[in-house]
Amino acid sequence: MTEQLRLMAVHAHPDDESSKGAATMAKYVSEGVDVLVATCTGGERGSILNPKLQGDPYIEEHIHEVRAKEMAEAREILGVKQEWLGFVDSGLPEGDPLPPLPEGCFALQDVEEAAGRLVALIRSFRPQVVTTYDENGGYPHPDHIMTHKITMVAFDAAGDPARYPEAGEPWQPLKLYYNQGFNRPRTLALHNAMLERGLESPYGEWLKRWEEFQRPDRTLTTHVPCADFFEIRDKALIAHATQIDPDGGWFKVPLDLQREVWPTEEYELAKSLVDTSLPEDDLFAGIRDN
């Protein structure tokens, strides 16, 4: 295939692109692939998770602006393009019973109507491959689940001239993947490797919760080798300073250990309009050679 390869990653909030599939994106950028992150919301209702910045009145009052600047820095580090879809963060409801979602937020939009913005972006960028979250959102944040819903609609609709005729010339992406980087085999491998080296693992509680909830493992169809880009991934993540504590659990596993024990990022192939044989090591498998 001589045409320019293009990858679109659809994410809910600024910072999701750096915690899910960032090393993969940086790898493809290094190979000359055009990579675009579509960010559904501005993260306006996200909590300040970095304890070093909690209680800062400027950040609390200007969280939308601060997170946009963080996104700009992460985008530069990863070498990707990025577009905002312009929806308003729904926040993560907490409590029992859960409070209602705020009026006008992303998760309360009509799915078909909201998908139109993504259809327009797909048609203008023309990606062959799209990545997003599975039907559980990766974890059940209402914005992650809504991101899944509009991506599924947009993937099918973008190539159909009868749908969203106002959204530009039709373009049909060829493959759709779910990010599955937080999978049990990877977590267990890194956990055991840390313990074998006499180090404290940050994954003990994660593994206990998996046992407790007995969630079935997802099918990992695609393992993208990207260990050389783990450092770039971490720098992009740290750029989201309000969301990430640089001294927190995200960075407890040494990079050398990660590169040795689990040098890939994982995906689940959800839709493919081209022939490919599983497992894969390339999101463009079946596309490059057509």
Side-chain angles (χ1 to χ4, degrees):
M1 180 167 185
T2 55
E3 189 181 0
Q4 169 72 41
L5 294 176
R6 291 176 296 275
L7 169 65
M8 177 186 283
V10 188
H11 287 287
H13 314 106
D15 81 73
D16 287 323
E17 84 297 326
S18 296
S19 61
K20 302 164 191 70
T24 298
M25 291 193 295
K27 165 198 162 75
Y28 282 124
V29 167
S30 79
E31 294 174 359
V33 175
D34 207 358
V35 180
L36 174 67
V37 173
T39 311
C40 293
T41 81
E44 303 88 344
R45 291 192 172 95
S47 302
I48 298 170
L49 300 176
N50 184 347
K52 299 173 184 66
L53 299 180
Q54 287 168 354
D56 183 312
Y58 178 84
I59 292 175
E60 289 175 355
E61 191 176 337
H62 302 90
I63 187 67
H64 183 269
E65 180 186 321
V66 169
R67 294 196 72 180
K69 286 180 179 173
E70 292 173 349
M71 181 70 241
E73 186 178 344
R75 181 173 68 219
E76 288 298 315
I77 292 166
L78 293 172
V80 301
K81 298 173 180 173
Q82 187 253 343
E83 296 282 351
W84 303 96
L85 291 189
F87 296 105
V88 177
D89 191 348
S90 306
L92 180 60
E94 295 178 291
D96 188 13
L98 291 173
L101 291 169
E103 189 177 342
C105 72
F106 178 42
L108 293 181
Q109 301 301 306
D110 177 82
V111 173
E112 290 285 327
E113 188 177 327
R117 298 188 195 180
L118 186 55
V119 169
L121 192 57
I122 288 172
R123 288 178 177 175
S124 64
F125 182 63
R126 297 160 66 89
Q128 295 93 353
V129 175
V130 176
T131 67
T132 193
Y133 317 130
D134 63 32
E135 66 279 5
N136 300 310
Y139 78 105
H141 189 299
D143 285 342
H144 285 235
I145 292 169
M146 186 63 166
T147 298
H148 164 81
K149 289 177 179 177
I150 72 163
T151 307
M152 301 306 286
V153 171
F155 182 89
D156 290 337
D160 185 346
R163 299 180 72 184
Y164 305 95
E166 73 291 348
E169 185 180 340
W171 172 264
Q172 181 58 60
L174 299 174
K175 298 175 87 175
L176 174 67
Y177 288 93
Y178 299 149
N179 299 295
Q180 296 295 356
F182 301 119
N183 57 76
R184 196 197 312 252
R186 171 187 180 271
T187 306
L188 194 57
L190 292 175
H191 175 74
N192 289 337
M194 290 288 280
L195 297 182
E196 285 164 9
R197 288 161 175 78
L199 301 171
E200 185 181 348
S201 167
Y203 298 126
E205 286 301 315
W206 285 29
L207 293 166
K208 277 184 198 168
R209 283 201 297 274
W210 261 318
E211 290 299 324
E212 188 182 328
F213 292 114
Q214 296 186 325
R215 277 180 64 178
D217 289 345
R218 305 290 303 204
T219 302
L220 306 178
T221 62
T222 312
H223 301 251
V224 178
C226 51
D228 291 346
F229 301 90
F230 287 172
E231 190 172 356
I232 292 175
R233 171 203 65 194
D234 286 1
K235 284 180 180 173
L237 200 48
I238 288 169
H240 292 283
T242 60
Q243 304 302 299
I244 300 294
D245 180 358
D247 300 316
W250 281 101
F251 310 106
K252 293 295 186 196
V253 182
L255 285 178
D256 285 348
L257 186 150
Q258 292 184 49
R259 292 185 187 110
E260 177 192 337
V261 173
W262 203 271
T264 59
E265 288 182 338
E266 283 66 53
Y267 297 84
E268 177 182 351
L269 180 60
K271 293 190 175 209
S272 182
L273 303 181
V274 295
D275 290 334
T276 184
S277 56
L278 302 180
E280 307 168 319
D281 61 5
D282 178 14
L283 299 182
F284 293 93
I287 296 172
R288 288 184 195 270
D289 37 16
N290 283 347

